[in-house]
Short mmCIF file of all heavy atoms in Angstrom, two decimals:
data_model
loop_
_atom_site.label_atom_id
_atom_site.label_comp_id
_atom_site.label_asym_id
_atom_site.label_seq_id
_atom_site.Cartn_x
_atom_site.Cartn_y
_atom_site.Cartn_z
N ILE A 1 9.26 -49.98 -1.44
CA ILE A 1 9.44 -48.71 -0.74
C ILE A 1 8.10 -47.96 -0.76
O ILE A 1 7.52 -47.73 -1.83
CB ILE A 1 10.55 -47.88 -1.39
CG1 ILE A 1 11.86 -48.67 -1.34
CG2 ILE A 1 10.71 -46.54 -0.69
CD1 ILE A 1 13.02 -48.02 -2.03
N ARG A 2 7.63 -47.59 0.43
CA ARG A 2 6.30 -47.02 0.57
C ARG A 2 6.34 -45.69 1.33
O ARG A 2 7.22 -45.47 2.15
CB ARG A 2 5.38 -48.00 1.32
CG ARG A 2 5.25 -49.35 0.65
CD ARG A 2 4.40 -50.30 1.50
NE ARG A 2 4.17 -51.58 0.83
CZ ARG A 2 3.41 -52.55 1.33
NH1 ARG A 2 2.79 -52.38 2.50
NH2 ARG A 2 3.24 -53.67 0.65
N ILE A 3 5.35 -44.85 1.06
CA ILE A 3 5.16 -43.62 1.82
C ILE A 3 3.72 -43.61 2.34
O ILE A 3 2.85 -44.29 1.80
CB ILE A 3 5.44 -42.36 0.99
CG1 ILE A 3 4.47 -42.28 -0.21
CG2 ILE A 3 6.88 -42.33 0.52
CD1 ILE A 3 4.57 -40.99 -1.00
N SER A 4 3.47 -42.85 3.38
CA SER A 4 2.12 -42.79 3.96
C SER A 4 1.60 -41.37 3.94
O SER A 4 2.35 -40.40 4.03
CB SER A 4 2.13 -43.31 5.41
OG SER A 4 2.91 -42.47 6.23
N TRP A 5 0.27 -41.26 3.80
CA TRP A 5 -0.41 -39.97 3.97
C TRP A 5 -1.89 -40.22 4.22
O TRP A 5 -2.42 -41.29 3.92
CB TRP A 5 -0.21 -39.06 2.75
CG TRP A 5 -1.03 -39.42 1.54
CD1 TRP A 5 -2.35 -39.13 1.30
CD2 TRP A 5 -0.59 -40.15 0.38
NE1 TRP A 5 -2.74 -39.61 0.08
CE2 TRP A 5 -1.69 -40.24 -0.51
CE3 TRP A 5 0.62 -40.70 0.00
CZ2 TRP A 5 -1.61 -40.88 -1.75
CZ3 TRP A 5 0.70 -41.34 -1.23
CH2 TRP A 5 -0.40 -41.41 -2.08
N GLN A 6 -2.54 -39.21 4.79
CA GLN A 6 -3.99 -39.20 4.96
C GLN A 6 -4.54 -38.11 4.05
O GLN A 6 -4.04 -36.99 4.05
CB GLN A 6 -4.37 -38.92 6.42
CG GLN A 6 -3.76 -39.91 7.42
CD GLN A 6 -4.21 -41.33 7.19
OE1 GLN A 6 -5.38 -41.58 6.92
NE2 GLN A 6 -3.28 -42.28 7.28
N PRO A 7 -5.57 -38.40 3.26
CA PRO A 7 -6.02 -37.45 2.23
C PRO A 7 -6.80 -36.26 2.80
O PRO A 7 -7.41 -36.33 3.86
CB PRO A 7 -6.94 -38.31 1.35
CG PRO A 7 -7.47 -39.35 2.29
CD PRO A 7 -6.35 -39.65 3.25
N HIS A 8 -6.76 -35.16 2.06
CA HIS A 8 -7.58 -33.98 2.36
C HIS A 8 -7.65 -33.14 1.10
O HIS A 8 -6.73 -33.15 0.27
CB HIS A 8 -6.97 -33.17 3.51
CG HIS A 8 -7.92 -32.15 4.07
ND1 HIS A 8 -8.11 -30.92 3.49
CD2 HIS A 8 -8.72 -32.18 5.16
CE1 HIS A 8 -9.00 -30.23 4.18
NE2 HIS A 8 -9.39 -30.98 5.20
N ALA A 9 -8.74 -32.37 0.96
CA ALA A 9 -8.96 -31.59 -0.25
C ALA A 9 -7.93 -30.49 -0.46
O ALA A 9 -7.72 -30.05 -1.60
CB ALA A 9 -10.37 -30.98 -0.22
N ASN A 10 -7.26 -30.02 0.62
CA ASN A 10 -6.31 -28.91 0.46
C ASN A 10 -4.91 -29.38 0.07
O ASN A 10 -3.99 -28.60 0.03
CB ASN A 10 -6.25 -28.06 1.74
CG ASN A 10 -5.64 -28.82 2.92
OD1 ASN A 10 -5.23 -29.97 2.81
ND2 ASN A 10 -5.59 -28.16 4.07
N ARG A 11 -4.77 -30.66 -0.23
CA ARG A 11 -3.43 -31.21 -0.49
C ARG A 11 -3.14 -31.31 -1.98
O ARG A 11 -4.03 -31.21 -2.82
CB ARG A 11 -3.32 -32.56 0.21
CG ARG A 11 -3.37 -32.32 1.70
CD ARG A 11 -3.43 -33.50 2.60
NE ARG A 11 -3.50 -33.00 3.98
CZ ARG A 11 -3.73 -33.73 5.03
NH1 ARG A 11 -3.92 -35.03 4.90
NH2 ARG A 11 -3.77 -33.19 6.22
N SER A 12 -1.90 -31.49 -2.28
CA SER A 12 -1.45 -31.47 -3.66
C SER A 12 -1.92 -32.71 -4.42
O SER A 12 -1.85 -33.82 -3.91
CB SER A 12 0.08 -31.38 -3.71
OG SER A 12 0.54 -31.50 -5.03
N THR A 13 -2.35 -32.48 -5.65
CA THR A 13 -2.71 -33.60 -6.52
C THR A 13 -1.52 -34.07 -7.35
O THR A 13 -1.63 -35.05 -8.09
CB THR A 13 -3.85 -33.20 -7.48
OG1 THR A 13 -3.38 -32.18 -8.37
CG2 THR A 13 -5.05 -32.69 -6.71
N GLN A 14 -0.40 -33.37 -7.25
CA GLN A 14 0.77 -33.71 -8.06
C GLN A 14 2.06 -33.51 -7.24
O GLN A 14 2.90 -32.70 -7.59
CB GLN A 14 0.78 -32.89 -9.35
CG GLN A 14 0.56 -31.39 -9.14
CD GLN A 14 0.34 -30.66 -10.44
OE1 GLN A 14 -0.23 -31.20 -11.39
NE2 GLN A 14 0.81 -29.42 -10.51
N SER A 15 2.16 -34.29 -6.17
CA SER A 15 3.35 -34.22 -5.32
C SER A 15 4.45 -35.11 -5.90
O SER A 15 4.23 -36.30 -6.14
CB SER A 15 3.01 -34.69 -3.90
OG SER A 15 2.02 -33.87 -3.33
N ARG A 16 5.60 -34.53 -6.10
CA ARG A 16 6.73 -35.28 -6.67
C ARG A 16 7.54 -35.94 -5.56
O ARG A 16 7.96 -35.29 -4.61
CB ARG A 16 7.62 -34.33 -7.48
CG ARG A 16 6.95 -33.74 -8.70
CD ARG A 16 7.76 -32.60 -9.26
NE ARG A 16 9.15 -32.99 -9.52
CZ ARG A 16 10.19 -32.16 -9.43
NH1 ARG A 16 10.00 -30.90 -9.05
NH2 ARG A 16 11.40 -32.59 -9.70
N ILE A 17 7.74 -37.25 -5.72
CA ILE A 17 8.49 -38.03 -4.74
C ILE A 17 9.65 -38.71 -5.46
O ILE A 17 9.45 -39.43 -6.44
CB ILE A 17 7.61 -39.11 -4.07
CG1 ILE A 17 6.25 -38.53 -3.65
CG2 ILE A 17 8.35 -39.72 -2.89
CD1 ILE A 17 6.31 -37.49 -2.57
N GLN A 18 10.86 -38.49 -4.98
CA GLN A 18 12.05 -39.07 -5.60
C GLN A 18 12.65 -40.16 -4.72
O GLN A 18 12.64 -40.04 -3.48
CB GLN A 18 13.10 -38.01 -5.86
CG GLN A 18 12.72 -36.98 -6.90
CD GLN A 18 13.80 -35.93 -7.10
OE1 GLN A 18 14.68 -35.74 -6.25
NE2 GLN A 18 13.74 -35.22 -8.22
N LEU A 19 13.15 -41.21 -5.36
CA LEU A 19 13.99 -42.20 -4.68
C LEU A 19 15.42 -41.96 -5.12
O LEU A 19 15.71 -41.95 -6.33
CB LEU A 19 13.56 -43.62 -5.04
CG LEU A 19 14.48 -44.73 -4.53
CD1 LEU A 19 14.52 -44.77 -3.01
CD2 LEU A 19 14.07 -46.08 -5.10
N LYS A 20 16.30 -41.76 -4.14
CA LYS A 20 17.71 -41.55 -4.44
C LYS A 20 18.55 -42.68 -3.85
O LYS A 20 18.28 -43.13 -2.73
CB LYS A 20 18.20 -40.21 -3.85
CG LYS A 20 17.63 -38.98 -4.53
CD LYS A 20 18.26 -37.71 -3.94
CE LYS A 20 17.79 -36.46 -4.68
NZ LYS A 20 18.43 -35.23 -4.13
N ILE A 21 19.55 -43.10 -4.59
CA ILE A 21 20.55 -44.05 -4.10
C ILE A 21 21.91 -43.41 -4.28
O ILE A 21 22.29 -43.02 -5.40
CB ILE A 21 20.49 -45.40 -4.85
CG1 ILE A 21 19.09 -46.00 -4.77
CG2 ILE A 21 21.55 -46.36 -4.29
CD1 ILE A 21 18.65 -46.37 -3.38
N ASP A 22 22.61 -43.26 -3.15
CA ASP A 22 23.92 -42.57 -3.16
C ASP A 22 23.81 -41.23 -3.88
O ASP A 22 24.62 -40.89 -4.75
CB ASP A 22 24.99 -43.46 -3.79
CG ASP A 22 25.42 -44.59 -2.87
OD1 ASP A 22 25.08 -44.54 -1.67
OD2 ASP A 22 26.08 -45.53 -3.35
N GLU A 23 22.73 -40.49 -3.52
CA GLU A 23 22.48 -39.13 -4.00
C GLU A 23 22.01 -39.05 -5.44
O GLU A 23 21.67 -37.96 -5.92
CB GLU A 23 23.72 -38.22 -3.82
CG GLU A 23 24.18 -38.07 -2.37
CD GLU A 23 23.11 -37.43 -1.49
OE1 GLU A 23 22.32 -36.62 -2.00
OE2 GLU A 23 23.07 -37.77 -0.30
N ALA A 24 21.96 -40.15 -6.18
CA ALA A 24 21.50 -40.13 -7.56
C ALA A 24 20.01 -40.49 -7.61
O ALA A 24 19.57 -41.45 -6.96
CB ALA A 24 22.30 -41.09 -8.42
N VAL A 25 19.22 -39.73 -8.37
CA VAL A 25 17.80 -40.01 -8.51
C VAL A 25 17.62 -41.23 -9.41
O VAL A 25 18.04 -41.23 -10.57
CB VAL A 25 17.04 -38.81 -9.10
CG1 VAL A 25 15.57 -39.16 -9.29
CG2 VAL A 25 17.19 -37.59 -8.20
N VAL A 26 17.00 -42.29 -8.87
CA VAL A 26 16.78 -43.50 -9.66
C VAL A 26 15.31 -43.64 -10.06
O VAL A 26 14.98 -44.44 -10.93
CB VAL A 26 17.22 -44.76 -8.88
CG1 VAL A 26 18.71 -44.70 -8.60
CG2 VAL A 26 16.44 -44.92 -7.58
N ARG A 27 14.44 -42.87 -9.42
CA ARG A 27 13.03 -42.92 -9.80
C ARG A 27 12.32 -41.69 -9.26
O ARG A 27 12.63 -41.21 -8.16
CB ARG A 27 12.37 -44.19 -9.25
CG ARG A 27 10.89 -44.30 -9.63
CD ARG A 27 10.36 -45.67 -9.43
NE ARG A 27 8.99 -45.81 -9.88
CZ ARG A 27 8.36 -46.96 -10.05
NH1 ARG A 27 8.99 -48.09 -9.80
NH2 ARG A 27 7.11 -46.99 -10.47
N GLU A 28 11.37 -41.17 -10.05
CA GLU A 28 10.50 -40.09 -9.57
C GLU A 28 9.05 -40.48 -9.82
O GLU A 28 8.70 -40.94 -10.90
CB GLU A 28 10.82 -38.76 -10.25
CG GLU A 28 9.92 -37.62 -9.76
CD GLU A 28 10.39 -36.24 -10.21
OE1 GLU A 28 11.58 -35.92 -9.96
OE2 GLU A 28 9.59 -35.50 -10.79
N THR A 29 8.23 -40.32 -8.79
CA THR A 29 6.82 -40.68 -8.85
C THR A 29 5.99 -39.46 -8.49
O THR A 29 6.39 -38.67 -7.64
CB THR A 29 6.51 -41.82 -7.85
OG1 THR A 29 7.39 -42.90 -8.10
CG2 THR A 29 5.07 -42.30 -8.00
N VAL A 30 4.84 -39.31 -9.11
CA VAL A 30 3.90 -38.24 -8.77
C VAL A 30 2.69 -38.87 -8.10
O VAL A 30 2.09 -39.82 -8.63
CB VAL A 30 3.47 -37.45 -10.02
CG1 VAL A 30 2.43 -36.40 -9.66
CG2 VAL A 30 4.67 -36.80 -10.67
N VAL A 31 2.34 -38.39 -6.89
CA VAL A 31 1.21 -38.95 -6.15
C VAL A 31 0.19 -37.85 -5.88
O VAL A 31 0.51 -36.66 -5.89
CB VAL A 31 1.66 -39.58 -4.81
CG1 VAL A 31 2.64 -40.72 -5.06
CG2 VAL A 31 2.27 -38.55 -3.88
N ASN A 32 -1.04 -38.28 -5.63
CA ASN A 32 -2.16 -37.37 -5.38
C ASN A 32 -2.54 -37.45 -3.91
O ASN A 32 -3.14 -38.43 -3.47
CB ASN A 32 -3.35 -37.76 -6.26
CG ASN A 32 -4.51 -36.80 -6.13
OD1 ASN A 32 -4.56 -35.96 -5.23
ND2 ASN A 32 -5.49 -36.91 -7.02
N HIS A 33 -2.20 -36.42 -3.14
CA HIS A 33 -2.46 -36.42 -1.70
C HIS A 33 -3.90 -36.10 -1.34
O HIS A 33 -4.24 -36.09 -0.16
CB HIS A 33 -1.52 -35.44 -0.99
CG HIS A 33 -0.13 -35.96 -0.81
ND1 HIS A 33 0.98 -35.15 -0.88
CD2 HIS A 33 0.33 -37.20 -0.59
CE1 HIS A 33 2.06 -35.88 -0.68
NE2 HIS A 33 1.70 -37.13 -0.51
N THR A 34 -4.74 -35.81 -2.33
CA THR A 34 -6.16 -35.61 -2.03
C THR A 34 -6.92 -36.93 -2.02
O THR A 34 -8.08 -36.98 -1.58
CB THR A 34 -6.83 -34.67 -3.07
OG1 THR A 34 -6.91 -35.33 -4.35
CG2 THR A 34 -6.06 -33.37 -3.21
N GLU A 35 -6.31 -37.99 -2.53
CA GLU A 35 -6.96 -39.29 -2.58
C GLU A 35 -6.32 -40.24 -1.57
O GLU A 35 -5.14 -40.10 -1.24
CB GLU A 35 -6.85 -39.88 -3.99
CG GLU A 35 -7.57 -39.04 -5.04
CD GLU A 35 -7.46 -39.64 -6.43
OE1 GLU A 35 -6.65 -40.58 -6.59
OE2 GLU A 35 -8.17 -39.19 -7.33
N PRO A 36 -7.08 -41.23 -1.08
CA PRO A 36 -6.51 -42.18 -0.12
C PRO A 36 -5.33 -42.93 -0.73
O PRO A 36 -5.33 -43.26 -1.92
CB PRO A 36 -7.67 -43.14 0.17
CG PRO A 36 -8.91 -42.38 -0.21
CD PRO A 36 -8.51 -41.50 -1.35
N ALA A 37 -4.31 -43.19 0.10
CA ALA A 37 -3.22 -44.04 -0.34
C ALA A 37 -3.77 -45.45 -0.61
O ALA A 37 -4.80 -45.85 -0.06
CB ALA A 37 -2.13 -44.08 0.71
N LEU A 38 -3.09 -46.21 -1.44
CA LEU A 38 -3.67 -47.44 -1.98
C LEU A 38 -3.57 -48.64 -1.05
O LEU A 38 -4.30 -49.62 -1.23
CB LEU A 38 -2.97 -47.77 -3.32
CG LEU A 38 -3.11 -46.69 -4.41
CD1 LEU A 38 -2.32 -47.08 -5.64
CD2 LEU A 38 -4.57 -46.47 -4.76
N LEU A 39 -2.68 -48.60 -0.08
CA LEU A 39 -2.45 -49.77 0.76
C LEU A 39 -2.98 -49.55 2.17
O LEU A 39 -3.21 -48.41 2.60
CB LEU A 39 -0.94 -50.09 0.82
CG LEU A 39 -0.29 -50.36 -0.54
CD1 LEU A 39 1.22 -50.51 -0.37
CD2 LEU A 39 -0.88 -51.61 -1.18
N LYS A 40 -3.16 -50.63 2.90
CA LYS A 40 -3.67 -50.58 4.26
C LYS A 40 -2.78 -49.68 5.13
O LYS A 40 -1.57 -49.69 5.01
CB LYS A 40 -3.71 -51.99 4.84
CG LYS A 40 -4.28 -52.06 6.25
CD LYS A 40 -4.31 -53.50 6.74
CE LYS A 40 -4.85 -53.58 8.16
NZ LYS A 40 -4.87 -54.97 8.67
N GLY A 41 -3.43 -48.91 6.01
CA GLY A 41 -2.68 -48.05 6.91
C GLY A 41 -2.26 -46.74 6.30
O GLY A 41 -1.43 -46.02 6.88
N GLY A 42 -2.81 -46.38 5.14
CA GLY A 42 -2.47 -45.10 4.54
C GLY A 42 -1.14 -45.09 3.81
O GLY A 42 -0.54 -44.03 3.62
#
């Protein structure tokens, strides 16, 4: 499961992203939107 973004200095360094299955949170990840995403295509 992947998300995309393009980096910029005005963006959050600690954006919380949750994965929910049937409304229950099964995982929470913190990503840095000021840095390039790690995979091809952002």
Side-chain angles (χ1 to χ4, degrees):
I1 300 176
R2 302 176 175 184
I3 62 173
S4 65
W5 76 80
Q6 304 298 318
H8 194 278
N10 67 1
R11 294 173 181 172
S12 174
T13 65
Q14 49 190 33
S15 299
R16 295 167 53 211
I17 314 294
Q18 293 179 341
L19 172 63
K20 291 184 175 182
I21 304 296
D22 286 347
E23 299 299 329
V25 177
V26 298
R27 181 164 184 167
E28 180 168 307
T29 306
V30 176
V31 300
N32 185 347
H33 282 145
T34 69
E35 296 180 349
L38 300 177
L39 302 174
K40 183 179 179 181

